[in-house]
Amino acid sequence: MKLQLFREQLKGLSFVVCLLSFDPTWAQSYSTQLLGREAQIDAIIKEMTLEEKVEMLHGKNMFSSSGIPRLGIADVEYADGPFGIREEMEPHSWNSAGLTTDSATFFPTGSALAATWSTEWAYAYGKGMSREARLRGKDMILGPAINIQRIPTGGRTYEYLSEDPLLSGMLAVAYTRGAQDDGTAVCLKHYALNNQEDYRGTVDVRISDRAMHEVYLRPFEMAVREADAWGLMAAYNKVNGRWCSENEHLLTQVLRRQWCFPGMVISDWGGVHSTVDPVVAGMNVEMPGSRFMGQALLDSVRAGRVSEAVVDQRVREILRVRLAVKPVDRSVANRQPVGNEAEMSTALEVARRSIVLLKNAPVAQKKETSPLLPIDTKRVRSIAVIGENAVTKMALGGVGAGVKTRREVTPLEGLQTIFGHQVKMTYVPGYKSFSRESRNKRQSPQQDADRKLMAEAVKAARNADLVLFFAGDNREVETEGSDRKSITLPSGQDELAQALAKANKRLVTIIVAGGPVDVSTVSDLSGALLVSWFNGSMGGQALAEVLAGRISPSGKLPMTWPRRLEDVPAYATGSYPQHAESPQGDIFVGLMNSGQNGGRRQRGMGRQPVADYAEQDLVGYRWYDTKQLPVAYPFGFGLSYASFQYSDLSVQPTIDSFDVCFTLANTSDRDAEEVVQVYVARPTSPIARPAKELKAFRRVSLKAGERQTLTLPIRRSDLCHWDESFQTWRLEPGALTIFVGGSSDNLPLKQETIL
């Protein structure tokens, strides 16, 4: 449906289309599947009683909201969460329903998906999630989770995609298209600026309009405008003084007027705080209960405090989504096995492309000097596998959504399968991981090394040809509901690494984590260093294939890994962490502990903490580049077993903006994939801007010795800045510097041009 038809069908609705904010290139191609049934919806609403309308505006069960049975409108069934379909719960509690048919594929988590820099595999990921949601009888996936990774310590950094809005947005667009093309609605979350877990239920985010639009709202806008996302979830926090669930600026002015979003908004669980303001601002469904948008809303309409026309509009938006998604009959839901070969294959392909090689230095081996990786079984006959993360499964753990998966290949299992009897393999735990038991005892993950376990690990390392040290976090350390207090490796892992390096110089460290950790110690001690993320059901196989050299590593960091936490912009400006006057429990943890379907408001809030985003748009690499601060490993960084050469850059103006053309050559004897990245600087702009910004990227597959001429378009919409005075995107003319390369700090090609 073209823009003109969209405008015609919006006539008479309770909001106004704001054409000023439309990007012209977007306007030429925007379409939505939600606006083709308005006459049918008119007829349905006319048949509904006020009680039936209100019944649709709040949760029915823990993960469903009501339809209209007598009119043939099914309930809406929600699938939690973004990296796998959660097991079935009892209708009104957080207890498992105890089914044997509700397993699912554990897909690599958000940061792992982002490390692929692949829109193709993000689409496949969304499609795979949808296929499993359909088998499980679900209509809407509570994902993708696309908040910007503002702090590396964020409890949900592993769920989110990137610190960069373009990378996050492009992947969100692909995920959304994949899921909705397959028939399942997405619910983009958490809208908006939910960039920390500590105090997320009370914190008030203060930010300029420009920084909000250019960085934090941009992925949501892209997924709405370019992928026709049908659902959004309002975040817990406040933005500029108003709760997200009742924030008129976010829900009405931006979402429905500027972006012309025709779909439905649901609350985060327990995230509604009043009755009138949410429904008027644009909230459709209070989840999971009916405290504010049940009887209280019905009473408010009868008392004239809320117009029934507003309720009709909220119902209309739900019905648009409900009629676009074919209901799954309950008699067939949860009857077929989930976690099948096709979805496991997608999980494997994503995992293969997500693994990031940070270091692979030459090390003396049997009178020769060569990198430790890939592992050469002619030289390596025995391997000591050290670290609990080699055997720890990551599908479950901590607070929040997890996946009851039928299969999860651990790194040790993957290594044993790949190397078989070629290599003698010895496993020693080396350290005791931070666990749920430790969390309940309020212990910190930062514990001293276990002397007994360390001694056993050193003995194994001394007797091996190669040491594979599995360090990092687990799902108890990185968890919804709380942020990490540091990025130091937990469980005394740095001390253990020092002991291992003394015992055996041939040390490879694999970081298992969802977000950045301090690698200053292990990077210096290790001949090779990799990041394998929380990498899903097939992550252990993918990692073993990379270590063995069956595939070349090709992942790139989707976020900067800082040297020190003090260098991170939110920490450097003093806007994080905040300190509340009195201790505050997490809003979601309190909801779970209450055992109730409805939410309880947090007590003893005192003065609510404020997060002043003083760094504005200088998030992640934008800050480090602009401030010229050194980092441990930069945004977009990732090594390969292959080598690549960039040449012959030319920049051609187009109607849309620019085509960036260059040649990429694989100068090695290995087939491999490279992620090419295009950055733009505006050196003469009178507007404050970062040193450079990512404006295009592509994953490219090259055979050994192959050369390709590539063309990457830079879209006009991605060169605009947000004009606060006119509340619209504006394109500033002037000089541009375009850089091309394989990492934000390795950009061998450069050309000046004029916009």
Side-chain angles (χ1 to χ4, degrees):
M1 185 182 303
K2 297 298 181 183
L3 176 63
Q4 184 60 38
L5 182 56
F6 186 20
R7 292 174 61 191
E8 291 174 358
Q9 291 185 314
L10 290 175
K11 288 179 180 178
L13 299 186
S14 63
F15 55 87
V16 180
V17 179
C18 180
L19 293 176
L20 281 176
S21 68
F22 280 12
D23 167 40
T25 58
W26 167 83
Q28 293 168 5
S29 60
Y30 179 80
S31 64
T32 179
Q33 297 182 43
L34 295 188
L35 293 174
R37 303 174 183 85
E38 297 301 285
Q40 181 185 359
I41 292 172
D42 286 340
I44 293 170
I45 292 175
K46 189 176 295 185
E47 292 293 318
M48 295 175 66
T49 66
L50 176 61
E51 289 79 5
E52 286 174 328
K53 295 171 185 176
V54 171
E55 193 69 15
M56 292 187 70
L57 304 188
H58 58 78
K60 176 181 181 180
N61 294 326
M62 195 60 73
F63 288 101
S64 69
S65 57
S66 292
I68 318 155
R70 73 177 183 87
L71 297 179
I73 305 299
D75 297 347
V76 179
E77 302 289 341
Y78 304 100
D80 194 23
F83 55 87
I85 310 301
R86 187 177 188 156
E87 68 180 310
E88 297 300 316
M89 315 296 287
E90 292 179 353
H92 302 292
S93 81
W94 296 97
N95 298 324
S96 169
L99 303 184
T100 59
T101 55
D102 59 347
S103 297
T105 300
F106 169 27
F107 288 90
T109 61
S111 55
L113 173 62
T116 70
W117 291 58
S118 172
T119 55
E120 174 189 359
W121 286 106
Y123 181 93
Y125 188 116
K127 187 173 182 180
M129 286 284 294
S130 172
R131 284 197 295 258
E132 298 208 339
R134 299 271 83 193
L135 289 172
R136 294 276 304 280
K138 309 302 181 185
D139 303 304
M140 177 176 282
I141 296 167
L142 301 182
I146 60 174
N147 293 101
I148 293 295
Q149 296 165 336
R150 179 177 182 245
I151 54 172
T153 50
R156 299 180 90 168
T157 294
Y158 73 93
E159 278 194 49
Y160 298 146
L161 296 172
S162 174
E163 68 187 23
D164 181 78
L166 181 71
L167 178 56
S168 294
M170 295 291 283
L171 296 176
V173 165
Y175 181 124
T176 298
R177 287 174 174 166
Q180 294 188 169
D181 284 355
D182 191 70
T184 310
V186 302
C187 183
L188 307 173
K189 64 182 190 183
H190 306 85
Y191 184 73
L193 291 108
N194 183 180
N195 307 113
Q196 63 184 71
E197 292 298 288
D198 285 356
Y199 309 130
R200 61 176 173 163
T202 56
V203 70
D204 184 5
V205 174
R206 305 290 176 85
I207 187 171
S208 72
D209 214 35
R210 182 183 168 203
M212 180 168 66
H213 277 272
E214 291 187 10
V215 177
Y216 296 96
L217 296 187
R218 185 61 176 151
F220 290 94
E221 180 181 16
M222 291 173 68
V224 168
R225 288 186 160 188
E226 298 177 31
D228 188 25
W230 296 340
L232 277 88
M233 180 187 292
Y236 283 129
N237 51 282
K238 289 183 174 182
V239 173
N240 292 331
R242 296 299 302 271
W243 297 111
C244 288
S245 60
E246 56 191 54
N247 193 306
E248 187 274 340
H249 180 73
L250 288 176
L251 297 181
T252 301
Q253 180 64 27
V254 174
L255 181 62
R256 297 203 185 275
R257 291 181 180 169
Q258 291 177 359
W259 301 351
C260 294
F261 174 70
M264 60 185 282
V265 178
I266 70 171
S267 75
D268 208 336
W269 269 229
V272 173
H273 297 264
S274 63
T275 296
V276 175
D277 289 346
V279 72
V280 171
M283 175 64 64
N284 296 92
V285 180
E286 174 191 7
M287 289 299 295
S290 58
R291 176 175 180 174
F292 295 105
M293 294 175 64
Q295 185 63 46
L297 177 58
L298 191 61
D299 293 344
S300 295
V301 176
R302 288 171 174 165
R305 298 181 64 220
V306 176
S307 164
E308 188 169 354
V310 170
V311 173
D312 287 350
Q313 182 60 26
R314 300 290 87 85
V315 169
R316 176 182 300 275
E317 291 150 359
I318 296 170
L319 287 173
R320 286 172 180 160
V321 177
R322 177 66 282 178
L323 297 179
V325 178
K326 183 179 180 181
V328 178
D329 193 283
R330 291 184 181 179
S331 65
V332 300
N334 289 301
R335 295 295 185 269
Q336 299 181 49
V338 182
N340 298 313
E341 190 59 35
E343 285 66 60
M344 287 290 181
S345 177
T346 296
L348 175 60
E349 293 295 345
V350 171
R352 283 170 170 163
R353 289 163 175 81
S354 73
I355 296 166
V356 182
L357 179 62
L358 297 179
K359 179 181 179 181
N360 197 21
V363 176
Q365 300 184 83
K366 297 183 180 180
K367 299 182 180 180
E368 294 183 24
T369 300
S370 60
L372 287 182
L373 298 178
I375 296 170
D376 184 352
T377 55
K378 294 178 181 178
R379 296 175 176 172
V380 175
R381 307 302 299 171
S382 60
I383 298 176
V385 178
I386 310 294
E388 274 199 9
N389 274 351
V391 298
T392 301
K393 295 187 176 182
M394 302 294 182
L396 296 169
V399 175
V403 187
K404 188 173 80 175
T405 185
R406 286 198 292 166
R407 184 182 184 194
E408 182 176 350
V409 180
T410 66
L412 182 59
E413 290 170 340
L415 289 165
Q416 290 169 334
T417 299
I418 293 293
F419 288 100
H421 299 292
Q422 299 178 75
V423 175
K424 178 184 176 183
M425 204 167 294
T426 303
Y427 166 70
V428 180
Y431 56 84
K432 183 173 178 57
S433 293
F434 185 72
S435 64
R436 183 175 295 275
E437 179 183 357
S438 301
R439 179 179 293 279
N440 291 339
K441 293 179 180 178
R442 298 189 179 276
Q443 293 179 1
S444 166
Q446 305 308 326
Q447 301 293 316
D448 292 335
D450 185 300
R451 298 298 163 186
K452 183 175 182 293
L453 294 177
M454 185 164 67
E456 294 171 353
V458 168
K459 181 179 178 181
R462 189 176 293 122
N463 295 324
D465 293 333
L466 182 71
V467 179
L468 299 180
F469 176 40
F470 286 84
D473 297 330
N474 59 24
R475 292 282 307 283
E476 296 294 338
V477 177
E478 298 186 44
T479 175
E480 179 178 351
S482 62
D483 298 326
R484 286 181 287 156
K485 301 304 177 265
S486 79
I487 55 173
T488 303
L489 288 171
S491 307
Q493 292 174 13
D494 281 339
E495 187 178 356
L496 175 57
Q498 290 169 340
L500 293 175
K502 288 180 181 178
N504 193 326
K505 298 298 183 185
R506 295 178 292 279
L507 175 64
V508 175
T509 297
I510 299 99
I511 300 294
V512 180
V517 294
D518 182 349
V519 292
S520 56
T521 297
V522 294
S523 182
D524 288 343
L525 295 171
S526 306
L529 179 65
L530 303 92
V531 185
S532 70
W533 313 106
F534 299 148
N535 224 350
S537 286
M538 304 303 293
Q541 178 179 329
L543 176 63
E545 290 175 348
V546 168
L547 293 172
R550 294 193 178 184
I551 56 175
S552 180
S554 59
K556 303 280 187 172
L557 291 179
M559 78 290 281
T560 307
W561 284 41
R563 285 189 175 185
R564 308 177 310 152
L565 204 51
E566 297 88 337
D567 295 335
V568 174
Y571 286 82
T573 57
S575 62
Y576 183 91
Q578 305 88 27
H579 301 284
E581 289 184 342
S582 58
Q584 301 178 16
D586 180 69
I587 183 170
F588 180 69
V589 173
L591 179 66
M592 293 181 68
N593 290 341
S594 74
Q596 296 182 354
N597 195 18
R600 286 181 178 176
R601 301 185 78 174
Q602 290 175 295
R603 300 187 181 188
M605 287 184 181
R607 181 178 298 172
Q608 294 173 309
V610 172
D612 182 3
Y613 283 29
E615 75 278 11
Q616 297 297 338
D617 64 333
L618 297 183
V619 182
Y621 72 94
R622 298 162 177 243
W623 171 270
Y624 302 109
D625 287 353
T626 303
K627 303 294 184 181
Q628 297 183 335
L629 291 174
V631 299
Y633 290 100
F635 176 76
F637 182 82
L639 302 175
S640 173
Y641 297 153
S643 54
F644 300 97
Q645 184 179 72
Y646 290 77
S647 62
D648 305 326
L649 174 63
S650 65
V651 179
Q652 305 295 330
T654 65
I655 294 176
D656 186 26
S657 188
F658 294 101
D659 278 346
V660 179
C661 306
F662 57 96
T663 299
L664 179 67
N666 180 346
T667 57
S668 72
D669 58 0
R670 286 181 172 274
D671 297 350
E673 296 184 6
E674 166 74 326
V675 175
V676 298
Q677 303 164 41
V678 179
Y679 295 80
V680 172
R682 303 293 295 266
T684 63
S685 174
I687 301 170
R689 295 179 183 271
K692 62 177 181 291
E693 299 172 89
L694 180 72
K695 294 303 178 186
F697 62 90
R698 183 181 300 169
R699 174 172 281 271
V700 181
S701 178
L702 291 173
K703 299 289 186 182
E706 183 183 1
R707 298 168 63 88
Q708 285 189 26
T709 298
L710 303 171
T711 300
L712 271 66
I714 298 178
R715 307 184 304 180
R716 179 180 287 106
S717 58
D718 294 323
L719 292 174
C720 293
H721 69 277
W722 184 256
D723 188 312
E724 293 181 334
S725 299
F726 290 91
Q727 288 292 292
T728 189
W729 291 104
R730 288 195 178 276
L731 187 64
E732 178 199 7
L736 304 178
T737 306
I738 295 177
F739 303 91
V740 180
S743 166
S744 65
D745 77 331
N746 182 19
L747 300 166
L749 304 183
K750 172 183 174 182
Q751 184 167 322
E752 310 288 339
T753 191
I754 299 293
L755 181 62

